[in-house]
Amino acid sequence: MPRPASILSIIRDTILIGSLIGIINYFLARDDAGWLALNPTPWLLLPPLIGARYGVWPGALTGLLTAAVLTVVRARIEGTEEWIFAANHRYPLTALALTGFLAGELNNLLRGGNAKLATESTRMKQQLDRVKAELALVSETRHELQNALTLHDAHLTGLDVELRKVALLPAHDVFTALLNLLHRLAGISSAGFYTRSNGSLRRIAALHPTAALSEHVALDESPLAIKALTENTIAAVSDPLESSERQPFLAAVPWNDADASGLLLIQDMPADSFEWRNLTKIELILHWAFAIRRHADAAKTGGGPRKIVSLEDFMFLLAQSLETEQIHHLPSAVLRLDFPDADNIPSSMDRELATLLPATTVTTRLPSGSLVFLIPFGSDQQAQSISRAFKERLPSARPSHHLVVGPAELETFWSRILES
């Protein structure tokens, strides 16, 4: 917004414009001081110019002063009284003050609109600057969040629910369900599960099969498959462009179920998904899917005795849980259920356990008779909820829970469970 005009600038401009008109008046109409012979008189330019520039009171005051000066000068020249001269020239003298006032009013109207627009413009500019800053912050936060989500494998959240669904499926539907799960969580677009049969691989399930994913794949024609089976670990090409007709697969991931073993052959996946961390996620999903089907009480729907795994198998899965948390930031939960009186265990215990524990739960028994449950990818909130339910439904039992998080050695973590 323009700054208010000073009195000095008003006086300066009035003197300059008045002097200019006076000089022109003198040379063009020396005998007509005030140029009153012309209608309208050119002196009417002075008040509107000042009023238009500076506002109402400068314009009106300039008009009054101009009228007063002209009245005094002409009255002296004509040798008459000032009031008589003013009475005889009421129209031009009144017009001087009036035009200055009107020009000032017009100035106020225009400046008022301009001031409002300037205020609105300033407000909008401040809002725009704020929105730009917020947008930059959102963009930066979004980038950081994407990195954090990638780092913490947030898209694997709810993996326990997905694995529970797979664990409850009939055996002939498991591999197809796993392929669909890997498609959603790991981005594979073409792959197949194979079992080893003599010197070849036999396909048992496929996702978007291509010619490369045939019913039978000869081992001697797939170096990746041989490497994965020999070393029992993931084998992958270093560059997706390296795949060829002789070696059409991007990666081979070994799997092992209770009754069979074989390979997952990945033939195609997006370039941004083909990286080592994503391949380890695939290995993670396969490992836990088959481990849960092998060890958990997944198929139980009644209230009979729970399936108890050996302490050795339980410790192996607990070690795998710690490793999974440290690599993929996916914690699991461990619950312990103690019975002060081993001879007085409620008859409803198995039914209550089947109701409260997820189908993916792996159970073992300590030499003391206490039960220990591993809930793969279970949260601390879920463990607390189950512990509270244990206290309500099995008053004679003493529950405790632990979140499987690292860094921690297996022996240290197990000691913590035994001491609880």
Side-chain angles (χ1 to χ4, degrees):
M1 292 180 61
R3 291 177 297 178
S6 66
I7 295 178
L8 290 178
S9 62
I10 296 173
I11 296 174
R12 179 199 65 202
D13 290 351
T14 301
I15 293 174
L16 286 176
I17 298 173
S19 299
L20 179 61
I21 297 176
I23 292 172
I24 296 174
N25 187 177
Y26 178 79
F27 284 105
L28 296 182
R30 185 178 303 179
D31 297 333
D32 185 15
W35 236 328
L36 297 176
L38 293 179
N39 188 17
T41 173
W43 283 95
L44 282 173
L45 292 173
L46 177 58
L49 288 175
I50 298 301
R53 176 68 178 85
Y54 296 108
V56 174
W57 73 263
L61 185 58
T62 300
L64 290 173
L65 289 175
T66 303
V69 171
L70 290 179
T71 299
V72 172
V73 171
R74 286 297 296 266
R76 295 280 178 90
I77 292 175
E78 296 177 3
T80 186
E81 295 293 334
E82 283 81 2
W83 67 270
I84 295 175
F85 176 84
N88 292 333
H89 298 85
R90 290 187 297 272
Y91 170 72
L93 296 179
T94 303
L96 287 171
L98 186 59
T99 54
F101 173 81
L102 293 176
E105 279 293 333
L106 181 62
N107 170 281
N108 283 353
L109 290 175
L110 294 176
R111 287 204 174 191
N114 288 341
K116 185 176 180 180
L117 291 175
T119 302
E120 185 68 14
S121 176
T122 301
R123 186 180 67 83
M124 295 298 291
K125 184 177 182 301
Q126 291 174 348
Q127 286 186 352
L128 180 61
D129 292 339
R130 185 165 59 252
V131 169
K132 286 181 178 179
E134 291 176 354
L135 184 61
L137 180 61
V138 168
S139 179
E140 181 180 355
T141 304
R142 177 175 174 270
H143 179 69
E144 292 176 355
L145 181 60
Q146 287 177 333
N147 290 340
L149 292 177
T150 301
L151 178 63
H152 289 83
D153 292 325
H155 59 285
L156 290 180
T157 302
L159 184 58
D160 59 326
V161 177
E162 298 286 354
L163 292 179
R164 191 180 311 160
K165 294 176 183 177
V166 173
L168 293 172
L169 289 174
H172 60 274
D173 293 331
V174 170
F175 295 98
T176 300
L178 278 174
L179 286 171
N180 292 328
L181 179 62
L182 293 173
H183 173 67
R184 293 197 306 273
L185 299 185
I188 65 170
S189 52
S190 180
F193 275 106
Y194 288 81
T195 57
R196 188 169 185 174
S197 177
N198 298 324
S200 67
L201 298 172
R202 182 177 61 85
R203 193 180 74 188
I204 54 177
L207 173 70
H208 304 144
T210 61
L213 295 169
S214 57
E215 291 285 346
H216 294 274
V217 175
L219 276 176
D220 56 2
E221 296 178 1
S222 180
L224 277 183
I226 296 175
K227 181 178 180 181
L229 288 172
T230 303
E231 301 178 4
N232 195 32
T233 187
I234 302 172
V237 296
S238 57
D239 188 338
L241 299 179
E242 290 181 4
S243 59
S244 61
E245 185 176 350
R246 172 167 174 74
Q247 173 43 55
F249 304 115
L250 298 178
V253 184
W255 59 268
N256 184 21
D257 197 4
D259 303 320
S261 62
L263 290 176
L264 169 69
L265 296 180
I266 302 174
Q267 200 274 322
D268 191 24
M269 63 192 308
D272 58 350
S273 298
F274 184 73
E275 47 95 18
W276 191 253
R277 188 177 183 84
N278 198 41
L279 294 178
T280 61
K281 294 172 189 174
I282 296 172
E283 184 182 43
L284 165 77
I285 294 171
L286 295 184
H287 167 77
W288 281 105
F290 291 119
I292 289 171
R293 287 188 63 84
R294 187 163 58 249
H295 295 293
D297 225 4
K300 181 183 294 298
T301 55
R306 293 193 63 80
K307 176 181 179 181
I308 305 296
V309 305
S310 67
L311 196 57
E312 181 182 1
D313 288 341
F314 189 89
M315 293 289 286
F316 176 77
L317 289 177
L318 185 59
Q320 292 291 307
S321 299
L322 280 168
E323 183 179 351
T324 298
E325 195 283 326
Q326 293 176 20
I327 296 175
H328 297 280
H329 307 281
L330 292 172
S332 297
V334 171
L335 291 93
R336 176 175 171 176
L337 196 60
D338 296 308
F339 300 94
D341 186 0
D343 297 327
N344 191 25
I345 297 176
S347 58
S348 63
M349 185 193 71
D350 286 308
R351 183 175 63 254
E352 297 293 352
L353 294 183
T355 303
L356 296 176
L357 293 170
T360 53
T361 305
V362 179
T363 308
T364 192
R365 189 184 299 275
L366 300 179
S368 63
S370 300
L371 294 176
V372 183
F373 311 101
L374 171 64
I375 306 176
F377 315 120
S379 65
D380 186 57
Q381 183 179 5
Q382 182 183 23
Q384 290 181 19
S385 177
I386 295 175
S387 292
R388 287 194 296 268
F390 277 159
K391 291 180 181 179
E392 294 174 0
R393 300 191 187 187
L394 300 170
S396 62
R398 186 177 70 86
S400 60
H401 67 275
H402 304 268
L403 196 64
V404 182
V405 293
E409 296 294 333
L410 175 62
E411 292 77 9
T412 303
F413 187 79
W414 184 244
S415 298
R416 197 183 308 161
I417 295 174
L418 294 179
E419 292 169 2
S420 61

